[in-house]
Amino acid sequence: DGGITQSPKYLFRKEGQNVTLSCEQNLNHDAMYWYRQDPGQGLRLIYYSQIVNDFQKGDIAEGYSVSREKKESFPLTVTSAQKNPTAFYLCASSIWVTDTQYFGPGTRLTVL
Amino acid sequence: GIQVEQSPPDLILQEGANSTLRCNFSDSVNNLQWFHQNPWGQLINLFYIPSGTKQNGRLSATTVATERYSLLYISSSQTTDSGVYFCAVTSMNNDYKLSFGAGTTVTVRA
C-alpha cells in the first residue's frame, strides 16, 4: 500500500521546546517537501529536498530544520526559534521536482 | 516571486449545479496543479495541467499558458465536492518552488 505517512496527527508542545514531525514515503520518489498552512490560507513552502543528503530552504525556513539521510524519510524539526509555530504541517513528495506532488495527511501542531 | 490569484474566494452551490473556478498567475509556468482539500485537511490531486485540457469524471480543467490562467470546471456538483480548491504553480524562472493561491472555498448544499 503505497503512500505518504505523517505522524503524529496532532501534536502539542510547550513554548521553548523543539519538536520533530515525521514524514515517510514508500513511493520511491526522489523529491520531498514540507509546507505550512495557517487557517484560511494557502500553503507555504518551508524546505524541500531534491535528493538524499541535499535540501534547500523554501520561503519560510526560519525556525525550522530538516534532514534527508534516507530516500524514504524527511523529518522536520520545529525549533524554539520559530515564533509562531501553531499551524497545520503538510509533507509531500514527487518523482522529481517538476512532477506532480502528492501529499500526506498532515500534522496539526499546537503550542500551549 | 510568482503571484497566484484564485477567484472567487467563496462559492455556494446547490447540488446539481455547474461552476467554474479561475486561477491567474503572473509568470510563465512549467507546473500547474489543482488540488482539493477535504474537511480533514487532506490534499487530493485533481490535475497536473501546465497546458491544455484534461477531464476526470465530473471535473475538467483547462490551462491557457500563453494567457496565464487556468480554469477548473465542476459539473453536476455533489455535497462531497465541498472543500477548498487550490491552484499551485511552479515558475519557469524559479527554482522548483510550488506557489499556492489562497484557494476557493466551495460549499455544495443538498
Side-chain angles (χ1 to χ4, degrees), chain B residues 3-64:
Chain B
Q3 303 300 311
V4 184
E5 295 182 357
Q6 291 186 243
S7 60
D10 299 281
L11 191 58
I12 299 176
L13 301 170
Q14 202 63 34
E15 199 170 27
N18 302 328
S19 63
T20 301
L21 283 60
R22 187 177 180 101
C23 172
N24 292 334
F25 42 94
S26 61
D27 200 357
S28 300
V29 299
N30 54 21
N31 179 357
L32 188 147
Q33 292 185 243
W34 283 98
F35 297 93
H36 175 219
Q37 187 169 39
N38 66 23
W40 298 271
Q42 177 75 54
L43 259 74
I44 307 298
N45 278 291
L46 298 177
F47 295 102
Y48 173 87
I49 187 166
S51 64
T53 297
K54 290 186 178 180
Q55 181 158 6
N56 184 3
R58 295 181 297 102
L59 301 180
S60 63
T62 295
T63 297
V64 183

Side-chain angles (χ1 to χ4, degrees), chain A residues 33 35 37 40-45 48 50 57-59 88 90 96-105 108, chain B residues 30-31 33 35 37 39-45 47-48 84 86 90 94-103:
Chain A
Y33 315 80
Y35 294 89
Q37 186 178 29
Q41 298 186 28
L43 280 66
R44 293 182 291 167
L45 182 65
Y48 68 101
Q50 298 183 52
K57 290 182 179 180
D59 298 319
F88 186 46
L90 288 150
W96 186 235
V97 286
T98 54
D99 292 312
T100 303
Q101 292 188 21
Y102 297 91
F103 283 78
R108 294 192 184 276
Chain B
N30 54 21
N31 179 357
Q33 292 185 243
F35 297 93
Q37 187 169 39
W40 298 271
Q42 177 75 54
L43 259 74
I44 307 298
N45 278 291
F47 295 102
Y48 173 87
V84 184
F86 287 106
T90 299
N94 204 348
D95 48 353
Y96 310 122
K97 296 177 185 178
L98 197 62
S99 298
F100 280 75

Side-chain angles (χ1 to χ4, degrees), chain B residues 58-78:
Chain B
R58 295 181 297 102
L59 301 180
S60 63
T62 295
T63 297
V64 183
T66 53
E67 297 187 22
R68 299 183 181 173
Y69 73 89
S70 182
L71 302 174
L72 178 70
Y73 305 96
I74 305 174
S75 64
S76 304
S77 58
Q78 301 177 359

Side-chain angles (χ1 to χ4, degrees), chain A residues 46-67:
Chain A
I46 305 173
Y47 269 97
Y48 68 101
S49 169
Q50 298 183 52
I51 202 166
V52 174
N53 293 323
D54 175 77
F55 49 83
Q56 307 293 328
K57 290 182 179 180
D59 298 319
I60 54 166
E62 185 175 352
Y64 300 98
S65 66
V66 293
S67 62

Side-chain angles (χ1 to χ4, degrees), chain A residues 54-107:
Chain A
D54 175 77
F55 49 83
Q56 307 293 328
K57 290 182 179 180
D59 298 319
I60 54 166
E62 185 175 352
Y64 300 98
S65 66
V66 293
S67 62
R68 186 85 187 277
E69 298 176 0
K70 297 188 299 181
K71 188 175 186 178
E72 302 80 17
S73 178
F74 191 40
L76 173 74
T77 297
V78 184
T79 75
S80 57
Q82 170 48 237
K83 299 304 179 188
N84 186 20
T86 295
F88 186 46
Y89 291 87
L90 288 150
C91 177
S93 71
S94 61
I95 295 173
W96 186 235
V97 286
T98 54
D99 292 312
T100 303
Q101 292 188 21
Y102 297 91
F103 283 78
T107 293

